Amino acid sequence: LYFLYYEEHDFTIRARQKGWEMYFCAQSFIHHRQSISIGLDSPLKIYYMVRNRILFMRRFNNGPQFGLFLAYYMGLGFPKMLVKLLSKGKWKHIINMYKGLIWNLHNRKININYENINL
């Protein structure tokens, strides 16, 4: 369901729901090259960030929590990103923002049953 972004958050929540414990290893080191797969300033990145942020919140929050998220995101987060992109004339990014939003409207009944998926 996720292609880019939020898949690790989804996995973590599902693992915790199954009773797995999470640990932190301070001695480990991972070198992560930011946005190397699709680029730092990619319209595709904007699409998947908007799409998957809303999808993740829909899947793991009840009605009131999701309503609060949606009020915050649509009242502050989304407009802030829109103004930033408008000021830079990034029209493809803006179109992809709306495509990510529209994807959630068209797919609002998506509900994958994770009971059949082994972690």
Side-chain angles (χ1 to χ4, degrees):
L1 195 52
Y2 299 97
F3 175 62
L4 295 167
Y5 308 109
Y6 283 86
E7 70 279 359
E8 67 279 7
H9 301 304
D10 184 277
F11 177 81
T12 302
I13 296 291
R14 291 186 296 119
R16 290 181 70 193
Q17 288 173 341
K18 295 272 188 180
W20 289 19
E21 294 181 18
M22 303 293 159
Y23 295 95
F24 169 73
C25 180
Q27 294 80 20
S28 64
F29 176 79
I30 298 173
H31 181 76
H32 182 281
R33 302 216 33 204
Q34 184 180 5
S35 299
I36 198 73
S37 53
I38 61 171
L40 189 58
D41 190 32
S42 166
L44 189 61
K45 178 181 179 178
I46 296 290
Y47 168 76
Y48 279 108
M49 286 298 285
V50 170
R51 172 194 183 267
N52 292 351
R53 178 177 290 133
I54 297 169
L55 175 61
F56 177 80
M57 294 303 288
R58 280 179 33 212
R59 297 185 68 207
F60 293 106
N61 292 286
N62 62 28
Q65 289 173 320
F66 180 68
L68 186 60
F69 157 76
L70 207 54
Y72 171 80
Y73 188 63
M74 296 310 294
L76 188 63
F78 197 86
K80 180 181 173 185
M81 188 180 350
L82 180 60
V83 168
K84 180 180 174 183
L85 293 172
L86 279 170
S87 71
K88 296 179 180 181
K90 297 194 175 207
W91 301 107
K92 288 182 180 178
H93 293 69
I94 293 166
I95 290 167
N96 278 358
M97 272 179 62
Y98 281 98
K99 284 182 179 179
L101 181 63
I102 290 167
W103 183 92
N104 277 281
L105 295 173
H106 287 294
N107 295 283
R108 63 183 175 269
K109 292 184 181 181
I110 282 184
N111 185 14
I112 291 182
N113 180 358
Y114 282 118
E115 297 302 318
N116 300 326
I117 298 175
N118 294 323
L119 293 176

